[in-house]
Amino acid sequence: MLELDNVSAVRGATTIWSDGTFAVPSGSITGVIGPNGSGKTTLLLMILGLLRPGSGKITVFGQVPKRGNTRIGYVPQNYASIAGESIRARDLVLLGLTGATYGLRRTSREQHARVDQVLAEVGAGGFGDRRMSQLSGGQQQRVAIAQALVGNPRMLLLDEPLANLDVRNQQEIVDLLSRINTERGIDILLVVHDLNPLLSVLDGAIYLLDGHAHHDNVNEVVSEELLTHLYGTAIKVVRTPQGDLFTRSA
Amino acid sequence: MGIVAAGVQFQSNWLEILSSPFMRTAFIAGVLVAVASGLIGYFVIVRGSMFASHALAHIGFPGATGAALVGSSVFTGLVVFTVVGGVVIGLLGKKASDREIATGTVLAWATALGVLFASLASGNTSTVTNILFGNLLAIPSQQLVVFAIFLVVLAIVLLVIFRPLLFTSIDPEVAEAKGVNVKGLGIAFMILLALVVSMAVTVVGVLLIFALLVTPAAAALRFTARPGWVIFWSSVIGVASVAVGLVIAAMINLPPSFFIVTTVFVVWLVAAGLRRERALVRPTGGHPQHGDPVHEH
Ligand SMILES: Nc1ncnc2c1ncn2[C@@H]1O[C@H](COP(=O)(O)OP(=O)(O)O)[C@@H](O)[C@H]1O
Ligand SMILES: [Mg+2]
């Protein structure tokens, strides 16, 4: 459950967007869309408590965001660029569980079991022992999601998890997120550039447009005028007999 | 004996030399420094701080030559300059992409300053050579206590901050979101690195620092990516190299730096070669090009 009340996003002296007033209902999958530099990552950072809103109020599960919120799992942008040659997938996931703990403490059997279980859950059970650099983009993304999930969060924030993936891998990650959403009943907020791969699972979208933030349910978001306006190129909405929606450049 | 080989002479009493007190001092010092380097080497690589460690050694150079100029302890000069340099680099932060330019600029100036101090302290060329290229045999025995204390402090601090430091090194954005003090740990790491750099300069010198601080961990990483094992094996490689270097130095009466660095270099070459061979034999080591090769759902 995420609520914004008249929030503005400010970086340095610049207001990136303002007038953000909306509520994202619990248990939903929400896309965050907007052109480059429109403040999508900035929104995530504010939800994580790493950045204060310039004005207004954000509440996550009824509380003002603050660093170290264990109820949020986070997969940052450009995840694949981390030091992948020097770490195994399972050690990376384990850091999601123990990485904030100071002092000498052996990793418990339960913690190892949790890592195994979450790796299996995201379909990464087969390559936990490999180094991150030995994995494909889709596999790396699964490991990143496992790390975000291992602490049993109630909300998952993913910054452009579909970037740099081919269409089939995009669909597999979307299916995985949809399954996590259903099975765990957690909120998922993901930044995307293209709504197409998400349309079958999306509950709503936050769109950052002309310096303003809006939230709407999926059917309202996917209107031709809005998307065309948003991306600056003509986009067409097609409804198939199965009820699926597609957007294409006209 | 020709002029070319004037300095090289096989010493048939090398076993005797090896068992002498100054060799024992050199060996203990070398072991302490190699283990300290092994402890921090993995983090240097994971954090991408290779350049920073190189820079710290150069920043220590004027500290060392300056200390020699005013007649105080070279090691103290090293420690003061590298620690201050480390804190400054740490404060600049990891984000700024111009950090390398800033560091490089300071590095060049520091080296020039070191050369100035060195030339002012004329008639002291062996001290300068030792600072630039290291000389285990020149380490006084009183230094061992200081090295031991540094190593113990390093080990304790690293053990305490191990996981958060690893987390911030690999995954700074997520670590910060989890409430880990990324900047504070970055500065703490730079201070630890400064201490190890100061120790390592006495063994391999400002110019060869990479060989002790980075190469052993890089060689270990060819075989394992498990942090504890990388640290263990890089310490082993460092200690073995120091031992081999000292034995050869005893045999032919030359400063051990060249032989230590050469041993590290050979180990690294062998590790790189073996890893490549293994990669060729094992088909599982391949890099998938078209999407995920693994489907289990
Ligand atoms: N650390 C920063 N300091 C100042 N401005 C920033 C910083 N990071 C990003 N910005 C600016 O804030 C705006 C929004 O950035 P961001 O949220 O990353 O956009 P998006 O994720 O939608 O591409 C951009 O114009 C960017 O230039
Ligand atoms: Mg972004």
Side-chain angles (χ1 to χ4, degrees):
Chain A
M1 180 70 178
L2 169 70
E3 279 177 291
L4 274 74
D5 182 14
N6 202 20
V7 170
S8 66
V10 176
R11 298 296 295 256
T14 317
T15 299
I16 312 295
W17 51 260
S18 58
D19 301 330
T21 301
F22 55 81
V24 177
S26 282
S28 54
I29 298 183
T30 308
V32 180
I33 55 175
N36 286 327
S38 58
K40 305 181 292 295
T41 300
T42 303
L43 172 65
L44 299 195
L45 295 180
M46 291 196 296
I47 296 171
L48 286 164
L50 297 177
L51 212 64
R52 276 174 209 273
S55 62
K57 191 179 176 194
I58 299 181
T59 49
V60 187
F61 302 116
Q63 288 174 339
V64 175
K66 77 175 204 298
R67 278 156 42 109
N69 189 344
T70 53
R71 291 197 275 195
I72 304 180
Y74 174 43
V75 179
Q77 207 168 344
N78 300 326
Y79 200 84
S81 66
I82 64 162
E85 183 60 29
S86 315
I87 188 108
R88 299 185 305 165
R90 69 166 57 254
D91 292 328
L92 195 67
V93 175
L94 184 63
L95 282 176
L97 209 52
T98 64
T101 317
Y102 286 85
L104 266 179
R105 217 169 305 163
R106 267 190 86 87
T107 307
S108 70
R109 196 181 299 232
E110 292 75 38
Q111 287 170 327
H112 281 303
R114 277 268 283 290
V115 170
D116 283 330
Q117 176 243 314
V118 76
L119 279 170
E121 180 181 349
V122 302
F127 43 85
D129 289 328
R130 286 209 231 150
R131 301 180 191 212
M132 287 299 280
S133 59
Q134 294 170 327
L135 304 180
S136 72
Q139 291 173 326
Q140 288 176 342
Q141 197 59 46
R142 284 171 197 271
V143 173
I145 291 170
Q147 192 205 46
L149 275 182
V150 74
N152 285 330
R154 286 170 58 185
M155 179 185 280
L156 211 52
L157 304 181
L158 305 103
D159 203 344
E160 306 201 14
L162 307 183
N164 306 318
L165 295 183
D166 61 27
V167 174
R168 202 187 73 205
N169 274 288
Q170 289 190 353
Q171 199 54 56
E172 287 185 4
I173 295 295
V174 169
D175 292 345
L176 170 64
L177 291 176
S178 169
R179 186 159 56 78
I180 290 167
N181 170 254
T182 315
E183 289 175 0
R184 289 184 174 242
I186 63 178
D187 309 359
I188 295 181
L189 218 72
L190 72 166
V191 174
V192 284
H193 272 297
D194 177 12
L195 283 173
N196 265 313
L198 279 180
L199 289 174
S200 58
V201 304
L202 210 59
D203 296 306
I206 295 166
Y207 47 98
L208 302 171
L209 174 60
D210 287 344
H212 300 287
H214 305 265
H215 171 266
D216 271 311
N217 292 323
V218 67
N219 288 332
E220 299 163 51
V221 171
V222 189
S223 77
E224 287 173 13
E225 300 90 301
L226 182 60
L227 286 174
T228 301
H229 192 37
L230 196 55
Y231 287 102
T233 70
I235 289 178
K236 214 169 155 59
V237 177
V238 182
R239 193 173 283 274
T240 71
Q242 288 80 25
D244 287 335
L245 289 160
F246 292 90
T247 61
R248 289 211 184 89
S249 295
Chain B
M1 191 92 345
I3 288 172
V4 178
V8 183
Q9 201 163 13
F10 181 75
Q11 316 198 88
S12 50
N13 62 336
W14 61 276
L15 268 176
E16 213 173 295
I17 296 172
L18 266 186
S19 51
S20 66
F22 78 93
M23 266 294 177
R24 209 191 52 191
T25 301
F27 182 72
I28 294 172
V31 168
L32 293 173
V33 174
V35 172
S37 301
L39 283 176
I40 206 139
Y42 174 67
F43 287 103
V44 172
I45 292 181
V46 173
R47 295 179 70 83
S49 300
M50 285 80 76
F51 185 63
S53 59
H54 190 76
L56 278 184
H58 280 260
I59 289 167
F61 181 48
T65 53
L69 177 61
V70 300
S72 68
S73 152
V74 165
F75 186 69
T76 308
L78 268 174
V79 171
V80 170
F81 272 59
T82 54
V83 167
V84 171
V87 170
V88 172
I89 294 174
L91 282 172
L92 288 177
K94 210 161 175 63
K95 271 268 172 67
S97 63
D98 60 345
R99 191 187 58 154
E100 294 215 335
I101 294 175
T103 312
T105 305
V106 173
L107 179 157
W109 178 73
T111 309
L113 192 62
V115 172
L116 174 71
F117 289 162
S119 48
L120 287 177
S122 54
N124 216 346
T125 49
S126 81
T127 306
V128 175
T129 307
N130 287 350
I131 295 167
L132 284 175
F133 301 104
N135 187 359
L136 251 183
L137 300 176
I139 295 174
S141 57
Q142 315 88 276
Q143 195 72 61
L144 294 184
V145 181
V146 180
F147 281 7
I149 291 170
F150 274 28
L151 178 58
V152 169
V153 169
L154 172 74
I156 290 173
V157 175
L158 268 188
L159 279 174
V160 169
I161 68 174
F162 194 89
R163 286 185 176 126
L165 181 63
L166 188 61
F167 203 9
T168 61
S169 303
I170 285 173
D171 220 353
E173 284 155 317
V174 180
E176 188 165 23
K178 293 261 178 188
V180 178
N181 185 346
V182 176
K183 193 144 199 172
L185 281 169
I187 293 169
F189 173 77
M190 289 307 295
I191 292 173
L192 295 178
L193 182 60
L195 298 183
V196 179
V197 164
S198 300
M199 290 168 77
V201 163
T202 63
V203 179
V204 289
V206 168
L207 297 179
L208 312 177
I209 194 89
F210 215 83
L212 210 52
L213 221 55
V214 179
T215 312
L221 263 169
R222 302 264 177 190
F223 293 102
T224 175
R226 307 176 73 154
W229 285 110
V230 175
I231 287 170
F232 174 77
W233 282 115
S234 42
S235 299
V236 168
I237 293 169
V239 168
S241 303
V242 164
V244 170
L246 281 178
V247 168
I248 300 177
M251 284 176 167
I252 57 178
N253 191 25
L254 280 176
S257 300
F258 169 75
F259 306 111
I260 294 172
V261 174
T262 301
T263 311
V264 173
F265 180 62
V266 168
V267 169
W268 178 79
L269 274 183
V270 170
L274 287 181
R275 175 73 195 279
R276 187 151 306 136
E277 212 142 275
R278 278 205 326 180
L280 287 177
V281 173
R282 283 188 326 169
T284 52
H287 295 255
Q289 256 115 45
H290 312 287
D292 294 4
V294 180
H295 293 280
E296 41 204 316
H297 45 268

